[in-house]
Amino acid sequence: MNLNLSEKAISISPSSTLAIDAKFKSMKAKGIDVVGFGAGEPDFDTPQHIKEAAIKAINEGFTKYTPAAGMPGLKEAVCRKLKKDNNLAYSPEQIVISNGAKHSLVNVFTAICNPGDEVIIPAPFWVSYPEMVKLADGVPVLLPTNEKNQFKFTIDDLKKVVTSKTKALVLNSPSNPTGMIYTEDELKEIAEFAVQNNIYVVSDEIYEHLIYDGLKHVSIASFGEAIKDLTIIVNGVSKTYAMTGWRIGYTASNAKIAKVMGNVQSHATSNPNSIAQVAAIAALDGPQDEIEEMKKAFVERRNYMVDRINSIEGLSCSKPQGAFYVMMNINSTFGKEYYGKTINNSDEFADLLLEKANVALVPGSGFGAEGYVRWSYATSMQNIVEGLNRIEKFLNNEL
């Protein structure tokens, strides 16, 4: 009897962001004075009216199965949101509600990929994209970008990697981990390219409301019916409403893709959490004031972090335009010795920083961005100040 485990499953790498966060929490539980910047979740509480909607649902016994692809009321709320925020008209049968945007992405790649299909993923990328594509029997094709171009790809870059096997392009704006956004003109060019080459665009818009400096989010699906039909929008309530643990994400796509995703989900999870779905309706339809308060705090933290990093000899970073991450350039530390150890890559930098300074950052290797580490400023200003103080002492061999 062959008891070998699945080769495909074995090939999947663990999430580096969750691994760092787990190590940080383990150290903290042991009483170690560690400061963590790995988690991708707002440090704010879920707004009260959303929590009250969930409590009401529990008290009213709304604790049973819902339709597999989500309850009609939440699908309708998503349609209203897409019309209001993005000027996009969708009907409920084009919406699939899932257990978080991460689950939505798994559904997307499962629905569109056949063995050998290629999915273009610009780097730096969110750590889970390539692994999700591999799980769906697709082939991740990494498209390098550089900091000089704000970590954004161009049409010329795309032309170099498109083949007859290209099925889809992943577009994440604002980006995790870089925080950069694509302009309206850039998105128009990408849309035209996708239509000309008949390529799906998986548009991850989970950070759409966390954009700063007067810039605005534009969905690539808004440039006409042709690109809208090829676009699969992925979004959710986790980042905008500080609801990471509630696990509600959603997709908007053409009805054919939505039906396939709904079928897959019906066998995988039965349905998203019923109580969290009610809470998500309250989030989408209710007051949006607290988003602006959260954004103000993020802007203050971002500005301090960027200015401070760029003032430390040997470090640098670009100012992110959205989300709540900073990619810090550490290339100048490579080949240098700190505390008896020579730094050769971002993993060694992050490991030694955690060991000596008790500061948890995510190495860029997991994002396809060697030479960088990612900070999250979704934490208190006190932690940010302390973390930057420690890293400055670390680099000066003063610990």
Side-chain angles (χ1 to χ4, degrees):
M1 184 178 293
N2 184 350
L3 297 179
N4 292 339
L5 299 179
S6 161
E7 292 181 8
K8 180 169 70 174
I10 290 172
S11 75
I12 303 303
S13 303
S15 167
S16 57
T17 53
L18 293 182
I20 288 290
D21 194 48
K23 193 169 184 178
F24 156 70
K25 288 175 179 174
S26 174
M27 292 174 69
K28 200 171 184 65
K30 293 175 183 176
I32 300 172
D33 181 22
V34 62
V35 188
F37 299 91
E41 61 178 348
D43 57 317
F44 298 89
D45 194 13
T46 304
Q48 188 63 30
H49 70 278
I50 299 173
K51 293 190 288 185
E52 288 173 357
I55 293 168
K56 184 172 183 286
I58 293 172
N59 289 335
E60 292 178 353
F62 194 74
T63 56
K64 309 298 182 184
Y65 291 129
T66 72
M71 53 189 286
L74 180 50
K75 288 187 174 190
E76 291 165 2
V78 169
C79 290
R80 289 192 293 273
K81 177 261 175 242
L82 290 167
K83 185 63 178 175
K84 174 173 64 77
D85 293 347
N86 313 106
N87 196 29
L88 289 167
Y90 285 93
S91 56
E93 64 267 22
Q94 296 176 278
I95 309 299
V96 177
I97 311 298
S98 302
N99 297 282
K102 182 179 279 190
H103 182 210
S104 295
L105 284 159
V106 170
N107 283 345
V108 170
F109 295 124
T110 301
I112 67 174
C113 287
N114 287 305
D117 283 348
E118 295 177 351
V119 178
I120 299 171
I121 303 173
F125 48 76
W126 178 50
V127 297
S128 293
Y129 291 141
E131 310 309 313
M132 290 172 169
V133 170
K134 289 191 285 184
L135 277 172
D137 288 322
V139 178
V141 176
L142 306 184
L143 176 59
T145 64
N146 60 72
E147 190 173 3
K148 290 180 181 177
N149 197 40
Q150 296 185 316
F151 296 112
K152 295 188 287 186
F153 64 86
T154 65
I155 299 301
D156 286 339
D157 295 328
L158 274 181
K159 289 177 179 177
K160 294 174 184 176
V161 295
V162 166
T163 72
S164 60
K165 295 182 179 179
T166 302
K167 176 60 72 71
L169 162 69
V170 174
L171 182 67
N172 180 208
S173 178
S175 163
N176 173 9
T178 70
M180 298 306 177
I181 69 169
Y182 286 84
T183 67
E184 187 169 352
D185 288 341
E186 289 166 341
L187 290 170
K188 282 181 180 177
E189 288 188 343
I190 296 168
E192 290 170 4
F193 183 88
V195 171
Q196 289 168 2
N197 291 274
N198 206 32
I199 298 170
Y200 286 122
V201 177
V202 181
S203 185
D204 185 347
E205 303 180 13
I206 192 71
Y207 294 98
E208 71 164 313
H209 286 297
L210 299 178
I211 293 180
Y212 317 118
D213 305 327
L215 300 173
K216 66 174 184 175
H217 171 75
V218 178
S219 176
I220 194 170
S222 64
F223 297 117
E225 286 302 314
I227 185 60
K228 183 185 174 189
D229 191 57
L230 287 170
T231 299
I232 307 161
I233 294 174
V234 178
N235 210 324
V237 297
S238 294
K239 313 298 183 180
T240 301
Y241 302 100
M243 294 176 68
T244 50
W246 297 74
R247 308 314 303 137
I248 293 294
Y250 58 83
T251 56
S253 66
N254 70 48
K256 183 178 180 181
I257 295 174
K259 182 173 176 56
V260 174
M261 289 192 291
N263 289 345
V264 168
Q265 184 164 292
S266 71
H267 293 290
T269 66
S270 293
N271 63 267
N273 180 289
S274 59
I275 300 154
Q277 287 188 71
V278 173
I281 295 174
L284 294 173
D285 285 345
Q288 307 292 300
D289 314 51
E290 293 185 51
I291 300 173
E292 291 305 315
E293 292 304 311
M294 187 164 63
K295 282 175 63 175
K296 287 178 184 177
F298 284 151
V299 167
E300 181 185 4
R301 298 169 186 179
R302 178 203 62 169
N303 291 347
Y304 177 84
M305 182 177 283
V306 168
D307 290 344
R308 184 73 188 281
I309 287 172
N310 285 320
S311 73
I312 298 173
E313 185 176 355
L315 302 179
S316 66
C317 69
S318 298
K319 179 179 282 189
Q321 299 161 322
F324 37 67
Y325 308 107
V326 169
M327 287 295 274
M328 182 173 75
N329 190 323
I330 58 168
N331 279 285
S332 67
T333 68
F334 292 176
K336 294 182 180 178
E337 186 175 295
Y338 299 89
Y339 309 95
K341 293 184 179 180
T342 301
I343 301 294
N344 299 299
N345 53 56
S346 61
D347 291 88
E348 291 179 359
F349 181 94
D351 286 343
L352 191 61
L353 183 68
L354 186 57
E355 177 189 339
K356 296 298 182 181
N358 292 340
V359 175
L361 301 178
V362 188
S365 57
F367 303 106
E370 187 52 81
Y372 295 82
V373 290
R374 191 194 77 173
W375 294 76
S376 167
Y377 49 91
T379 186
S380 70
M381 184 63 84
Q382 180 181 350
N383 283 343
I384 292 170
V385 172
E386 179 62 24
L388 287 162
N389 286 342
R390 292 184 187 186
I391 199 169
E392 187 167 21
K393 289 181 180 178
F394 169 84
L395 291 173
N396 291 327
N397 285 285
E398 294 176 353
L399 294 173

